[in-house]
């Protein structure tokens, strides 16, 4: 990243500005403004998230908000109700209260003497959710949004459920917010009332995973704040981005295809990162793109921002399997509209163990296997090398070599490709199947298989077969009965070189990325009609976009941070051949850092552990444990949380603890032990 020392405008900063809601709760904001706004109002850009503006996001915020402010905008970074130095409590994600608060924040900002009445919203992840969900409510001042790593479908395309199957990230994210929502405000900012504010948060706390488990189907809980319920609600322009290594790789193209507003899409090779901080690289000059967007939609500058392609994306080249990449080789390609008329969905029949392509159509009549059926009953070990649902690239969390996973899967494969093939979009698998139990799931994975046999996962999808017809009204299977099932896979842009094979792998478990079905399932795949559908992009046409279209990543230099203890990262898979106990242990420890700007010292350690025993489908257990510590010479507090999730055939079981400490003394403690019906999950 290139740090920019000179910007068009000098900026001024206010670290703690309170915005009072109609119910009297005061939210805390940090504001950067161009100096000329004292004498003449400017447009404003707002970001609302629960991740503590004074410390945990202060480095990230200091890179882009002063940069945008230095180009002539007032930037307002708000801690959500109940987080950071904002009053109140945070009880769940994306509640109606949060959206009303955001509307009030926008109205307050638009009415300030330094604002000309025009606002935009931006953010990544929660901040992007907030921007999109608020835009759907059409507040008067909001003229455009810039969002990264988001979804328009809270049930089917977030970290909770995938294809009706519960993700382990449902537990992991709940553990994250269990900790964040119970952290204290900073006494140096809010004064002596910090202890009362903290106590209120601790008393109101509850493991969010309980609520998420109570809604295993698509109901009103998930429909709330999901734009796909009515795309026409969005009426302002949107610049949307994500990364192929992120869990949110699908929403950009879905948004482009369904909203009727000025829109642009950008998808790089990145994990859950902003594009100017993108990992794996290459990162891009994203903030230049953002300023150009704001200049057009908030200032009315005729700068050609809407010219050129609707979608720009990184076409990834083949790489050996690895849990982390510094750079993904590839090139930028462009599509003038989405869906693109250039991309053709090509159906490849599944015959025996083969994926039929143009190169082996002559073998299409090969005799079927096992009397026109093939079966699979995957061990619980399939999935240990799956990586995270959403990669953060720290610790290394991408899927590893799929060969061991494929040993417990049903595998179909092409012959070595005679010519290069590129896909761009969302593949799918259509099957006729029968299962031995009323609840069963299928995970479908596409891998790029090199001539030496190494298999790199390209994309995957999951389907809880009870959701084969509906996420709102799932129905149990009748064992032995045949069903048609379509498994959508995550969108991707991927090139397959000549000589490589395309592999489709089907498994009945994918633990711990996906919580397994209540019992082992024998799945029968019936020949005749099974096919892999690939979105094929022609390789002989121009890409429509020069390689140097994006500038170098740049931003403002953040204030200094002193590292006091070293971080720790771990991702360890272990397996005992004595008692058949398997475990995945993940450690994300940021170490202790002192933010020199305000003197606060922060330590953060998160540990996840996922275990199972042999092929006992009632043995899986997940644990998310967090320790967050905040201190100065005269102040030392920490929060410790633990959430353990187990299950039997009928119920999920949640055991959770929350402890608060001041000066090493425990001042708060609470435990939960509750059960929730699995209800076909």
């Amino acid at each position: 990243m290139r740090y920019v020392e000179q910007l068009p405008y000098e900026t001024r900063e206010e670290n703690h500005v309170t915005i009072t809601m109609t119910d009297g709760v005061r939210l805390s904001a940090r504001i950067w403004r161009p100096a000329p706004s004292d004498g003449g109002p400017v447009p404003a850009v707002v970001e609302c998230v629960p991740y503590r503006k004074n410390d945990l996001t202060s480095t990230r915020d200091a890179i882009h908000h002063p940069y945008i402010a230095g180009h002539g905008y007032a930037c307002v970074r708000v801690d959500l109700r109940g987080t950071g130095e904002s009053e109140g409590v945070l009880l769940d994600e994306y509640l109606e209260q949060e959206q009303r608060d955001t509307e009030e924040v926008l109205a307050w900002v638009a009415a300030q003497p330094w604002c000309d009445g025009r606002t935009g919203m931006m953010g990544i992840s929660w901040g992007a959710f907030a921007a999109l969900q608020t835009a759907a409510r059409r507040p008067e001042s909001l003229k455009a949004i810039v969002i990264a790593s988001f979804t328009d479908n809270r049930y089917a395309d977030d970290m909770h459920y995938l294809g009706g199957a519960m993700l382990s990230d449902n537990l992991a994210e709940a553990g994250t917010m269990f900790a964040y929502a119970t952290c204290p405000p900073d006494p140096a900012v809010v004064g002596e009332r910090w202890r009362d504010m903290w106590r209120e948060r601790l008393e109101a706390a509850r493991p969010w995973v309980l609520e998420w488990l109570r809604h295993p189907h698509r109901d009103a809980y998930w429909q709330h704040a999901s734009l796909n319920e009515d795309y026409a609600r969005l009426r302002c322009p949107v610049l949307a981005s994500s990364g192929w290594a992120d869990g949110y790789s699908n929403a950009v193209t879905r948004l482009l295809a369904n909203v009727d507003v000025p829109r642009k899409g950008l998808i790089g090779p990145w994990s859950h990162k902003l594009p100017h901080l993108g990992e794996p690289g290459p990162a891009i000059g994203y903030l230049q793109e953002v300023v150009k967007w704001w200049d057009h939609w908030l200032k009315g500058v005729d700068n050609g921002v809407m010219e050129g392609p609707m979608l720009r994306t990184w076409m990834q080249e083949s790489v050996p399997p690895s849990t982390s990449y510094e750079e993904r080789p590839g090139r930028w390609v462009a599509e003038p509209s989405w869906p693109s008329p250039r991309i053709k969905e090509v159906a490849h029949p599944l015959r025996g163990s083969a994926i039929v392509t143009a190169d082996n159509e002559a073998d299409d009549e090969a005799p079927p296997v096992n009397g026109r059926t093939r079966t699979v009953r995957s061990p619980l070990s399939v999935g240990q090398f799956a990586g995270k649902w959403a990669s953060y690239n720290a610790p290394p969390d991408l899927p590893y070599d799929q060969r061991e996973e494929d040993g417990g899967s049903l595998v179909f494969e092409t012959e070595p490709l005679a010519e290069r093939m590129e896909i761009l979009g969302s593949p799918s698998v259509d099957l006729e199947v029968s299962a031995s139990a009323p609840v069963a799931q299928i995970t479908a994975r596409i891998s790029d298989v090199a001539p030496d046999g190494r298999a790199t996962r390209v994309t995957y999808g999951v389907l809880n077969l009870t959701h084969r017809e509906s996420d709102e009204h799932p129905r149990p299977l009748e064992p032995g009965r045949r069903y048609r099932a379509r498994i959508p896979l995550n969108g991707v842009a991927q090139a397959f070189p000549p000589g490589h094979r395309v592999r489709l792998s089907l498994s009945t478990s994918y633990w711990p990325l996906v919580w397994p079905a209540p019992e082992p399932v024998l799945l029968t795949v019936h020949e005749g009609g099974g096919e892999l559908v690939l979105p094929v992009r022609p390789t002989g046409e121009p890409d429509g976009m020069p390689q140097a279209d994006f500038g170098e990543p740049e931003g403002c230099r953040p204030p200094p941070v002193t590292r006091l203890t070293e971080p720790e990262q771990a991702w360890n898979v272990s397996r005992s051949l004595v008692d058949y106990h398997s475990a995945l242990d993940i450690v994300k420890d940021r170490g202790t850092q002192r933010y020199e700007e305000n003197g606060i010292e922060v330590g953060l350690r998160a540990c996840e552990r996922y275990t199972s025993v042999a092929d006992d489908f009632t043995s899986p257990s997940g644990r998310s444990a967090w320790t967050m510590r905040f201190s100065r010479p005269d102040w030392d507090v920490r929060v410790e949380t633990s959430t353990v999730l187990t299950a039997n055939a009928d119920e999920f079981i949640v055991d959770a603890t929350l402890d608060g400490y001041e000066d090493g003394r425990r001042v708060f403690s609470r435990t939960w032990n509750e059960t929730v019906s699995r209800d076909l999950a």
Side-chain angles (χ1 to χ4, degrees):
M1 160 126 359
R2 182 173 69 89
Y3 292 124
V4 179
E5 306 296 343
Q6 296 293 327
L7 293 166
Y9 299 100
E10 179 186 350
T11 60
R12 297 178 180 175
E13 180 181 343
E14 297 173 89
N15 286 325
H16 175 59
V17 176
T18 58
I19 305 172
T20 303
M21 303 291 99
T22 53
D23 62 359
V25 169
R26 292 177 293 183
L27 305 188
S28 178
R30 191 172 189 176
I31 300 176
W32 297 262
R33 292 191 289 117
S37 64
D38 285 340
V42 297
V45 175
V46 176
E47 180 183 18
C48 298
V49 289
Y51 302 130
R52 302 181 61 90
K53 60 182 172 51
N54 274 16
D55 39 63
L56 295 180
T57 69
S58 62
T59 296
R60 184 207 70 175
D61 295 345
I63 291 172
H64 63 258
H65 282 307
Y67 181 92
I68 296 170
H71 284 84
Y73 298 88
C75 287
V76 183
R77 162 68 173 87
V78 182
D79 277 336
L80 295 184
R81 177 185 293 244
T83 66
E85 281 62 59
S86 291
E87 297 175 347
V89 295
L90 182 64
L91 300 176
D92 200 352
E93 58 183 14
Y94 320 133
L95 295 176
E96 175 70 18
Q97 179 66 65
E98 175 191 330
Q99 286 141 36
R100 290 199 303 266
D101 285 350
T102 306
E103 287 186 282
E104 290 193 45
V105 166
L106 289 174
W108 180 90
V109 169
Q112 297 308 298
W114 38 259
C115 180
D116 66 6
R118 290 172 291 183
T119 65
M121 288 190 71
M122 69 176 293
I124 180 174
S125 198
W126 195 311
F129 276 71
L132 185 62
Q133 292 165 4
T134 303
R137 300 166 76 96
R138 303 186 187 179
E140 182 179 358
S141 72
L142 188 62
K143 305 304 180 185
I145 59 175
V146 174
I147 52 179
S149 300
F150 65 96
T151 189
D152 55 341
N153 186 336
R154 291 185 55 218
Y155 177 76
D157 198 30
D158 199 358
M159 59 186 64
H160 305 292
Y161 295 91
L162 181 61
M166 190 182 75
L167 295 161
S168 62
D169 272 64
N170 200 46
L171 168 65
E173 176 64 10
T176 300
M177 295 313 304
F178 198 18
Y180 271 86
T182 53
C183 290
D186 186 350
V189 176
V190 302
E192 284 302 315
R193 62 194 182 100
W194 76 269
R195 195 177 283 107
D196 292 336
M197 293 172 65
W198 185 30
R199 186 79 187 189
E200 182 183 16
R201 295 176 187 181
L202 294 169
E203 293 283 358
R206 187 170 177 78
W208 293 8
V209 71
L210 287 166
E211 188 68 14
W212 299 344
L213 289 171
R214 291 192 180 102
H215 298 277
H217 311 153
R218 182 180 175 85
D219 57 15
Y221 177 83
W222 302 110
Q223 290 165 352
H224 166 71
S226 287
L227 182 67
N228 72 323
E229 292 294 312
D230 181 8
Y231 284 108
R233 291 180 296 166
L234 185 67
R235 301 308 308 156
C236 72
V238 55
L239 173 61
S241 66
S242 191
W244 295 128
D246 196 356
Y248 296 107
S249 62
N250 302 305
V252 172
T253 51
R254 196 166 53 239
L255 201 66
L256 297 181
N258 287 287
V259 299
D260 185 21
V261 297
R263 58 206 185 274
K264 290 282 189 176
L266 171 64
I267 310 175
W270 315 302
S271 60
H272 198 68
K273 305 279 188 180
L274 285 163
H276 59 295
L277 306 172
E279 297 174 338
I284 64 168
Y286 176 67
L287 294 183
Q288 298 94 303
E289 300 285 315
V290 171
V291 167
K292 190 176 179 181
W293 185 262
W294 295 137
D295 283 350
H296 182 74
W297 293 111
L298 297 186
K299 292 183 178 179
V301 178
D302 184 10
N303 56 13
V305 73
M306 293 307 298
E307 296 173 3
M310 179 181 288
L311 174 66
R312 295 174 288 179
T313 186
W314 187 252
M315 178 61 68
Q316 301 176 124
E317 292 293 333
S318 176
V319 288
S322 176
T323 57
S324 179
Y325 302 95
E326 289 188 11
E327 296 271 335
R328 279 299 303 261
R331 73 188 194 283
W332 289 105
V333 301
E335 297 299 335
S337 60
W338 194 267
S340 171
R342 299 194 299 178
I343 294 174
K344 306 299 182 184
E345 291 200 341
V346 179
H348 300 281
L350 306 179
R351 296 287 184 268
S353 60
I355 300 173
V356 179
T357 66
D359 296 332
N360 60 348
E361 283 180 337
D363 299 327
D364 192 10
E365 301 303 320
V369 177
N370 293 337
R372 300 187 64 81
T373 66
R374 297 183 70 195
T375 60
V376 61
R377 179 172 171 167
S378 301
L380 275 175
S381 58
V382 174
Q384 287 189 321
F385 301 140
K388 266 286 189 184
W389 170 80
S391 170
Y392 289 83
N393 214 44
D397 55 8
L398 294 172
Y400 192 48
D401 195 324
Q402 297 293 287
R403 283 178 289 185
E404 185 168 341
E405 309 277 61
D406 289 341
S409 306
L410 187 60
V411 173
F412 303 84
E413 198 169 75
T414 67
E415 292 296 319
L417 299 176
E419 298 179 345
R420 176 185 177 89
M421 180 174 66
E422 295 182 357
I423 61 174
L424 173 54
S426 299
S428 62
V429 179
D430 291 294
L431 300 170
E432 185 175 3
V433 298
S434 55
S436 63
V439 179
Q441 59 185 226
I442 306 177
T443 297
R445 313 186 309 276
I446 294 177
S447 296
D448 168 21
V449 183
D452 64 5
R454 289 184 292 180
T456 303
R457 197 189 76 192
V458 169
T459 183
Y460 75 102
V462 181
L463 177 63
N464 177 342
L465 283 167
T466 68
H467 289 244
R468 64 197 176 276
E469 297 174 346
S470 169
D471 286 328
E472 289 83 1
H473 306 289
R475 294 188 298 168
L477 303 167
E478 180 183 329
R481 179 180 172 182
R482 293 190 184 190
Y483 297 96
R484 296 295 306 178
R486 180 178 182 273
I487 310 165
L489 279 64
N490 289 330
V492 71
Q494 180 68 44
F496 295 86
H500 285 224
R501 299 172 185 258
V502 179
R503 177 179 294 170
L504 170 65
S505 307
L506 304 177
S507 62
T508 57
S509 65
Y510 207 41
W511 168 253
L513 192 147
V514 177
W515 199 277
E519 60 181 303
V521 172
L522 179 69
L523 186 76
T524 301
V525 177
H526 301 269
E527 270 200 19
E531 59 185 21
L532 170 65
V533 181
L534 296 176
V536 177
R537 185 179 192 273
T539 57
E541 297 183 14
D543 290 331
M545 178 178 175
Q547 287 292 98
D549 192 65
F550 295 113
E552 179 186 359
E554 64 181 32
C556 287
R557 187 182 302 277
V561 176
T562 301
R563 184 169 300 286
L564 304 177
T565 65
E566 290 302 309
E568 178 188 355
Q569 298 178 2
W571 187 289
N572 296 317
V573 174
S574 61
R575 191 179 306 165
S576 168
L577 296 184
V578 176
D579 61 6
Y580 306 110
H581 181 276
S582 298
L584 168 63
D585 288 287
I586 303 170
V587 176
K588 296 178 286 186
D589 189 330
R590 288 174 50 167
T592 302
Q593 303 178 103
R594 182 171 58 244
Y595 295 87
E596 299 298 349
E597 190 176 40
N598 55 24
I600 194 169
E601 296 180 5
V602 179
L604 183 156
R605 181 178 177 87
C607 299
E608 297 174 42
R609 181 173 174 82
Y610 303 95
T611 65
S612 60
V613 178
D615 283 336
D616 180 356
F617 275 58
T618 62
S619 69
S621 171
R623 179 174 186 258
S624 174
W626 282 71
T627 299
M628 301 182 76
R629 180 172 177 258
F630 305 87
S631 64
R632 285 195 182 89
D634 58 347
W635 179 60
D636 185 8
V637 294
R638 77 178 189 273
V639 170
E640 295 183 356
T641 66
S642 172
T643 309
V644 177
L645 180 63
T646 56
N648 55 40
D650 303 312
E651 296 176 317
F652 287 111
I653 303 156
V654 175
D655 292 286
T657 61
L658 167 62
D659 292 292
Y661 294 84
E662 183 180 355
D663 296 328
R665 181 175 61 90
R666 187 165 61 184
V667 295
F668 182 90
S669 184
R670 182 165 294 171
T671 62
W672 291 261
N673 177 257
E674 300 189 28
T675 60
V676 180
S677 171
R678 292 191 67 152
D679 199 6
L680 301 181

